[in-house]
Amino acid sequence: MKIKKRAIVTGGAGFLGSHLCERLLQLEYEVLCVDNYFTGRRANVEHLLTNTSFELMRHDITFPLYVEADEIYNLACPASPVHYQFDPVQTTKVNVMGAINMLGLAKRVKARIFQASTSEVYGNPAVHPQPESYRGDVNPIGIRSCYDEGKRCAETLFFDYYRQHNVDIKVARIFNTYGPRMHPNDGRVVSNFIMQSLKGEDITIYGDGMQTRSFCYVDDLINGFLALMSAPRDVTGPINLGNPGEFTMRDLAEKTIEMTGSSSKIVYLPLPEDDPMQRKPDLTLAKRALEWEPKIRLEQGLAETIKYFEKYVYE
């Protein structure tokens, strides 16, 4: 009888976590999904509960976790400004204390551990596109700092555990990702635009709409996670994972209106503090070290995401 690998996914009931749990089960892992439901939702993993290789645990990783595992995926953290600014102290705690607790667990059980870091570590970048060697331009005392600096500190901890305790680490810097199971009210641009379009409401763009983002479909991103986790031990990262296709906010709004057949109008509001003007991954390292790059075009991914969000409006 084949012995299955055991994986822990913190934040496993969230948008990315639920897709990762699903894929790991398909790869015949035993999966422990850990979530405190601050932004994650049980509904995201309900369809997995009948799988005997899947277990769901309500737990906050700012407290230690005493379990066994071969691999740990640390995804726990609210990822949208609306959610992480709601309780900034807790956001910093989950990034820093959560990382310490998960790294301590990885050290104890000798597990390989993955950190879901973020392109936000680059802040409002002066280099474009952003390579992993760029150290960023981050405001340490702004309203986004709980997330930006929290993730930067988590990366520091991962590399200190790697150097000091020889923990087997993998660090991915995730760029904007979208797809089914995004929270409909998370305040992120794709979910905002789709929900506003489907309801026929004005689409709100902050600033002049010329700031750019790169959007990666969730299936591509999960492939990147798995490629990094299966890479040789010396491929620690940080490695950018995202889609280099670059779109202005105005482009995205117009495309969303067109694809939903909406009558929504675009309105412009002031730009929030420290909102970056451009964001695009340099994927040179991911292509070379992981032989990974995204395959799914924005139109294809948006069509799947719109289909998912339609149930919130029409059912």
Side-chain angles (χ1 to χ4, degrees):
M1 180 176 160
K2 180 183 175 184
I3 298 176
K4 295 184 175 184
K5 276 190 174 181
R6 292 165 296 181
I8 298 169
V9 180
T10 72
F15 163 45
L16 297 181
S18 62
H19 284 276
L20 178 59
C21 287
E22 204 168 57
R23 285 291 296 282
L24 289 170
L25 290 169
Q26 289 168 7
L27 294 170
E28 300 192 332
Y29 277 72
E30 288 184 352
V31 176
L32 173 61
C33 171
V34 177
D35 208 296
N36 70 349
Y37 302 127
F38 177 62
T39 56
R41 292 174 294 169
R42 183 183 169 91
N44 285 340
V45 292
E46 212 142 35
H47 64 294
L48 304 177
L49 292 171
T50 55
N51 190 320
T52 55
S53 294
F54 181 75
E55 187 179 353
L56 181 59
M57 176 190 289
R58 185 169 193 150
H59 180 80
D60 183 334
I61 65 161
T62 60
F63 298 94
L65 184 61
Y66 300 103
V67 291
E68 305 298 319
D70 301 298
E71 296 178 1
I72 301 167
Y73 290 83
N74 186 35
L75 275 60
C77 183
S80 76
V82 167
H83 291 145
Y84 65 64
Q85 290 170 13
F86 174 76
D87 190 344
V89 171
Q90 184 64 20
T91 298
T92 302
K93 285 172 70 175
V94 76
N95 277 316
V96 178
M97 295 170 63
I100 290 170
N101 287 331
M102 291 303 104
L103 285 161
L105 175 60
K107 178 188 169 190
R108 179 178 70 80
V109 302
K110 296 180 169 54
R112 174 168 283 188
I113 181 167
F114 174 99
Q115 168 65 5
S117 191
T118 172
S119 61
E120 298 294 340
V121 300
Y122 299 122
N124 192 4
V127 174
H128 192 71
Q130 294 80 57
E132 292 84 353
S133 58
Y134 176 56
R135 294 180 183 177
D137 179 12
V138 176
N139 177 2
I141 59 168
I143 60 171
R144 299 169 69 102
S145 308
C146 56
Y147 186 72
D148 302 2
E149 295 287 31
K151 290 288 190 182
R152 286 163 69 96
C153 185
E155 286 196 15
T156 301
L157 286 162
F158 265 70
F159 279 88
D160 284 339
Y161 267 79
Y162 170 69
R163 287 183 289 256
Q164 187 174 339
H165 300 299
N166 200 32
V167 172
D168 187 357
I169 67 164
K170 303 289 182 182
V171 177
R173 289 178 176 165
I174 302 167
F175 283 69
N176 290 58
T177 305
Y178 69 101
R181 297 187 208 139
M182 290 184 81
H183 198 294
N185 301 314
D186 70 0
R188 286 191 271 194
V189 64
V190 172
S191 47
N192 268 4
F193 286 3
I194 292 175
M195 289 298 287
Q196 289 168 338
S197 292
L198 290 173
K199 292 177 180 177
E201 298 172 352
D202 288 341
I203 288 189
T204 50
I205 290 181
Y206 296 94
D208 62 5
M210 298 313 292
Q211 65 270 42
T212 65
R213 295 293 183 275
S214 303
F215 301 102
C216 185
Y217 189 65
V218 62
D219 290 355
D220 279 333
L221 188 77
I222 299 302
N223 287 337
F225 285 8
L226 299 174
L228 178 54
M229 271 302 248
S230 62
R233 185 184 176 103
D234 63 346
V235 181
T236 58
I239 291 185
N240 290 337
L241 295 178
N243 192 313
E246 192 173 11
F247 299 88
T248 68
M249 297 298 94
R250 192 182 300 171
D251 288 339
L252 181 67
E254 290 170 352
K255 193 174 288 290
T256 305
I257 290 170
E258 177 191 340
M259 291 183 69
T260 55
S262 176
S263 58
S264 295
K265 301 288 185 289
I266 297 173
V267 298
Y268 296 89
L269 298 175
L271 195 66
E273 181 187 341
D274 295 330
D275 193 54
M277 290 306 296
Q278 53 189 5
R279 199 50 72 63
K280 175 181 176 177
D282 181 327
L283 295 183
T284 304
L285 182 57
K287 290 175 184 176
R288 185 180 75 241
L290 307 179
E291 297 182 348
W292 174 88
E293 60 182 312
K295 309 289 186 191
I296 297 169
R297 295 175 63 248
L298 182 64
E299 290 82 1
Q300 182 185 349
L302 276 179
E304 291 299 315
T305 311
I306 289 166
K307 194 187 307 178
Y308 172 79
F309 278 117
E310 282 175 341
K311 69 181 182 181
Y312 286 99
V313 179
Y314 301 135
E315 288 184 5

